[in-house]
Amino acid sequence: MNNPPGDAAYEPRLYRAPVSILWWLRRRSYFFFVLRELSSVFVAWSVVFLLLLIRAVGRGGGQYRDFLDWSATAWVIILNLVTLGFLVLHAITWFNLTPAAMVLRLRGQRVPPAAIAGSAYLAWVVVSAFVVWIVMRR
Amino acid sequence: MGRRTMEPFLWLLFSAGGVLSALLLPVLVFLFGVAMPIGWIAAPGLDHLRGLIDNPLTSLVVLALSVLSLFHWAQRFRYTLIDGLKLKDHHRLINVSCYTVTLVGSVAAAVVLWQVR
């Protein structure tokens, strides 16, 4: 690479157009794609948050109360609101992609993509309702 | 070579984590991260949550959710760094770091769930 231009060995075979590090800001679809990929960071944070809650519950009333107080501080609420936004983005993009990733056939007929995506959304609603029920029931 | 043959397996874990996190995490973060802290709904009592976690099935679901979600994170995050920030030259370091975090996190999840029981 450092050979002078006159050198016979200096013969680039491939030209690669330089791409800016901010390539993903150039189009809305690129930006959206990066947002979707970044949702994974908030997926990881949700797991950490959940495990902190479970650890506090295991350590008894004092720790559980401390966790509730901490989770009610402004920055944690803001972080979790942003997290919720990214999680919903993740869920919607994920369920919308299920028909592309999963081709089902029933009696020789291809199940319409909308039906597959629809069942994914239905599963989301049922699972969410079930979680609310087991957490909130007395 | 070893890493190359791991790829399909890692994509499988990525997908499983994608499904589980999409189904379960929004409602959990809504309840414990937003609705309860803001005061829309009252936080459940300690005994109720303890009873939930004491159920082996709950522990198993939370463990699967944690481990697979972390694998999901690792797959997306390493590609975001490698392609998004054009760090292809450092892909080995990035891969090792992401999966180390995932493995450490998975062990931590198992320890937390074990200690609660």
Side-chain angles (χ1 to χ4, degrees):
Chain A
M1 283 303 273
N2 292 324
N3 298 344
D7 194 330
Y10 182 76
E11 210 175 314
R13 293 187 188 149
L14 289 169
Y15 171 71
R16 284 195 186 180
V19 180
S20 150
I21 200 169
L22 296 175
W23 60 268
W24 45 275
L25 282 178
R26 298 180 83 180
R27 275 197 201 177
R28 253 190 77 179
S29 58
Y30 295 168
F31 179 65
F32 200 66
F33 163 79
V34 169
L35 275 193
R36 193 193 73 189
E37 299 304 294
L38 278 182
S39 71
S40 64
V41 174
F42 295 92
V43 165
W45 160 249
S46 311
V47 169
V48 173
F49 182 74
L50 207 61
L51 290 172
L52 287 175
L53 164 70
I54 291 172
R55 194 179 67 153
V57 168
R59 289 183 173 181
Q63 295 267 339
Y64 178 49
R65 210 167 304 281
D66 286 348
F67 176 87
L68 292 180
D69 289 343
W70 170 75
S71 68
T73 50
W75 75 269
V76 182
I77 292 179
I78 291 168
L79 175 60
N80 280 330
L81 276 171
V82 174
T83 300
L84 186 60
F86 272 98
L87 288 176
V88 170
L89 173 74
H90 163 59
I92 290 174
T93 51
W94 192 268
F95 295 139
N96 285 348
L97 273 177
T98 6
M102 209 167 72
V103 175
L104 283 184
R105 285 179 181 282
L106 214 69
R107 292 192 198 122
Q109 298 275 318
R110 187 177 166 181
V111 176
I116 297 177
S119 346
Y121 279 102
L122 184 67
W124 190 21
V125 171
V126 170
V127 168
S128 302
F130 180 71
V131 170
V132 170
W133 179 68
I134 60 167
V135 168
M136 300 312 296
R137 89 196 144 118
R138 304 193 169 263
Chain B
M1 275 313 274
R3 184 167 288 105
R4 197 167 287 244
T5 52
M6 282 286 282
E7 278 303 313
F9 182 61
L10 294 175
W11 277 104
L12 192 72
L13 295 175
F14 160 78
S15 301
V19 174
L20 272 184
S21 57
L23 285 175
L24 287 166
L25 287 180
V27 65
L28 288 169
V29 169
F30 171 75
L31 286 174
F32 291 104
V34 177
M36 289 171 196
I38 287 179
W40 289 341
I41 50 177
L46 182 71
D47 292 339
H48 176 59
L49 287 185
R50 256 227 152 98
L52 265 183
I53 299 166
D54 275 342
N55 187 328
L57 197 62
T58 318
S59 299
L60 206 66
V61 170
V62 173
L63 184 65
L65 172 68
S66 307
V67 172
L68 294 171
S69 294
L70 289 173
F71 272 100
H72 175 85
W73 163 79
Q75 184 84 342
R76 278 200 156 158
F77 193 63
R78 70 191 175 110
Y79 280 119
T80 308
L81 290 183
I82 291 169
D83 297 331
L85 297 180
K86 302 208 304 170
L87 294 174
K88 217 174 185 96
D89 295 344
H90 306 286
H91 75 276
R92 198 166 288 259
L93 176 70
I94 291 172
N95 288 348
V96 170
S97 312
C98 285
Y99 285 110
T100 303
V101 170
T102 294
L103 291 178
V104 170
S106 301
V107 171
V111 169
V112 165
L113 289 166
W114 181 259
Q115 284 177 343
V116 171
R117 312 212 70 232

